[in-house]
Amino acid sequence: MKMRPMARGTFFTLAPFALVSALAVGVAVAGYIVSPHAPAIPDRVEASTPPATAIPTAVATTPEATGPIPSRSTPAPSNAARSNDAAEMLRTHNDLRAAVGAPAVRPDDRVTAAAQHHAEYLARAGAIGHEETPGNPGFTGVSVRDRLAAQGYADATASEVAASSESGTEDVRFLWDLPYHRLGLMHPHAVLAGWGHAEIGGHTATVGVLVFDFAVTAPDHVRSPAAGQRVIGSWAGDESPDALPAGAARPVGYPVMIVYSSARPVDLKNAKLTDANGGEVAVFVVPQIYERDYAAIVPTAPLAAGARYRVRLDLSVAGGDVVDEWEFETER
């Protein structure tokens, strides 16, 4: 097994979602961008932000992906039309959550308005990011929390993801493939979501805003892929901050994740991924950034098509030993 040690005590200014020790504390934002992933959808970039206070926003870029189109955990039906409608983007998001056993996120007009206004700001600026500059056209708030407050939703524990392509629903599916982005999108304590899409002057932006509530009842944990789920086995591996070690060959296999509820700290003691014959598959460990309630691994090479794999994670969850095992399949 090939594992990458977790980076403990390392704090990056870039992250998709963050939990702080005092969950009642409000959240600020950090962000990142990933380069285009598919020639058929040009000029795609992604960005994501976390909950926390007083963490400056940062933006990074990665080289253009050279591998195949990243895997999609729940492929769109063959007859599904691409859509930029907020309700359809939310439906796509909830379909992805349902496939892994996460509770549905509810719509909220204030959250949707915050997402739409920021999408318009980004499209007008021809940029992707999470901070807005006062005085610029379409300004509605510096951070996602400010933009939610402007819509009448103050003091929200919130996160934001953003992408740029001609299709909002495709952006939702694509963002799900990236482990640091997927973390917030699949989180068991995400309760509200709003999506917006804009095209202005030839520039596009898709924005998703998530609101979290750690006081609500949530599943003990959520896995992705879920037990028995069928996923495409290859992922281009491009995300920033990089989920993979420097110099790692790409493409890689589909990221495997588990997220625990109630902000319980998770430590990964050992990870094992095996094929149907019991052969061990080499994996990288995705470093924990800010939050501690998850573990994630990425196969170091694309997985075989039409194959079954077994995951075993030896964890410490809130100080108690847990062994979590399940199987998933790859598409043919």
Side-chain angles (χ1 to χ4, degrees):
M1 175 181 62
K2 185 176 181 180
M3 294 180 62
R4 181 189 183 189
M6 291 187 180
R8 303 194 187 284
T10 300
F11 294 92
F12 294 82
T13 57
L14 308 177
F17 170 69
L19 298 180
V20 291
S21 57
L23 292 172
V25 176
V27 284
V29 294
Y32 51 85
I33 294 175
V34 177
S35 62
H37 78 286
I41 306 176
D43 300 326
R44 170 169 291 186
V45 290
E46 293 77 37
S48 153
T49 73
T53 43
I55 298 174
T57 297
V59 176
T61 59
T62 62
E64 181 168 338
T66 56
I69 296 174
S71 56
R72 288 175 180 149
S73 55
T74 304
S78 58
N79 61 350
R82 294 177 177 180
S83 175
N84 296 326
D85 178 71
E88 288 303 313
M89 288 186 279
L90 182 65
R91 187 194 308 276
T92 299
H93 184 189
N94 272 329
D95 286 348
L96 292 165
R97 287 178 63 86
V100 300
V105 287
R106 305 186 306 276
D108 184 287
D109 289 344
R110 298 165 297 179
V111 181
T112 301
Q116 181 61 35
H117 288 318
H118 190 50
E120 292 169 0
Y121 176 93
L122 294 175
R124 187 174 285 110
I128 288 293
H130 301 291
E131 286 195 343
E132 295 184 6
T133 301
N136 280 2
F139 173 82
T140 54
V142 173
S143 72
V144 62
R145 294 185 73 227
D146 295 332
R147 294 187 287 274
L148 283 168
Q151 297 300 321
Y153 200 135
D155 300 322
T157 301
S159 179
E160 183 181 82
V161 295
S164 175
S165 85
E166 62 186 14
S167 169
T169 50
E170 287 298 295
D171 282 341
V172 176
R173 295 185 186 99
F174 181 68
L175 286 163
W176 183 273
D177 292 333
L178 312 180
Y180 285 134
H181 292 74
R182 194 193 313 172
L183 177 58
L185 293 173
M186 70 179 279
H187 202 283
H189 283 288
V191 293
L192 302 176
W195 289 87
H197 181 90
E199 181 174 354
I200 299 173
H203 301 291
T204 62
T206 300
V207 172
V209 173
L210 304 164
V211 175
F212 304 87
D213 186 347
F214 290 89
V216 301
T217 301
D220 180 76
H221 60 272
V222 178
R223 304 157 168 165
S224 177
Q229 188 176 9
R230 186 171 295 164
V231 299
I232 296 174
S234 180
W235 174 50
D238 292 304
E239 188 173 20
S240 179
D242 201 344
L244 308 178
R250 301 153 202 253
V252 290
Y254 189 76
V256 176
M257 305 180 64
I258 187 166
V259 185
Y260 279 82
S261 60
S262 303
R264 287 169 290 172
V266 175
D267 292 302
L268 178 58
K269 299 190 293 184
N270 191 55
K272 189 174 184 179
L273 182 65
T274 53
D275 60 26
N277 297 319
E280 193 163 342
V281 177
V283 300
F284 297 119
V285 171
V286 176
Q288 290 178 324
I289 300 178
Y290 292 114
E291 66 275 21
R292 291 284 313 283
D293 59 351
Y294 74 99
I297 59 174
V298 178
T300 62
L303 300 176
R308 178 176 290 272
Y309 291 90
R310 184 170 188 83
V311 184
R312 177 185 168 115
L313 302 179
D314 292 276
L315 306 165
S316 173
V317 180
D321 291 338
V322 174
V323 176
D324 209 311
E325 295 184 87
W326 74 98
E327 294 183 350
F328 67 92
E329 299 177 1
T330 55
E331 294 186 350
R332 295 186 181 278

